Amino acid sequence: MDKFMEAAIEESETGFHEGGIPIGAVLVHHDRIIGRGRNRRVQRGSVVFHGEMDALENAGRQPASVYRECTLYTTQSPCPMCAGAILLYGIPRVVVGENQTFMGAEDLLRSKGVAVEVFQDPRCVDLMSRFVTASPGVWNEDIGL
């Protein structure tokens, strides 16, 4: 397995053990993680702290040239909000752990020229499936249902 997806999975597992939604992400520039995060909406009482948004936040301010050379690894297919941030900052590549439990805005990303690769990692599917079964209300809130 890819070491960067492993790092995203570690973030998702940490979030799960904190009582949050198990989605993790890392932002990688030139083979180095510059930002890592996890969905912390529950932990922070936040409306926007999805895993991808947290990784971007933790990367700090970067020049546009850095974002244009990054890959975002995320354990879950990006929702429209996170896809919007990916497009806003011109991140050219997104690697997704799984999209079986939720299909996000992958088509939008692809239509705008973003390379999207999906691993269908069974650990990501299992963790999200367990969470959705145990906490359907929190999950529905997270994806706007």
Side-chain angles (χ1 to χ4, degrees), residues 68-134:
R68 288 193 300 264
E69 297 174 340
C70 283
T71 297
L72 180 70
Y73 289 77
T74 178
T75 59
Q76 180 72 58
S77 184
C79 76
M81 175 180 67
C82 295
I86 291 163
L87 295 174
L88 177 67
Y89 293 110
I91 297 168
R93 182 172 176 246
V94 176
V95 179
V96 177
E98 69 98 0
N99 63 6
Q100 292 178 1
T101 60
F102 174 75
M103 172 60 78
E106 293 174 26
D107 288 342
L108 171 64
L109 292 171
R110 287 185 181 105
S111 76
K112 300 294 186 180
V114 176
V116 178
E117 178 182 345
V118 181
F119 281 177
Q120 297 303 10
D121 186 290
R123 294 169 300 167
C124 296
V125 174
D126 177 63
L127 192 56
M128 278 306 299
S129 296
R130 285 190 290 139
F131 178 79
V132 170
T133 298

Side-chain angles (χ1 to χ4, degrees), residues 1-14 24-26 28 33 36-37 73-75 95-97 119 121-124 127:
M1 173 57 66
D2 183 283
K3 67 181 178 181
F4 299 122
M5 183 55 69
E6 289 290 339
I9 291 170
E10 287 172 14
E11 288 290 329
S12 71
E13 290 170 340
T14 298
V26 295
V28 176
I33 295 173
R36 46 189 321 137
Y73 289 77
T74 178
T75 59
V95 179
V96 177
F119 281 177
D121 186 290
R123 294 169 300 167
C124 296
L127 192 56

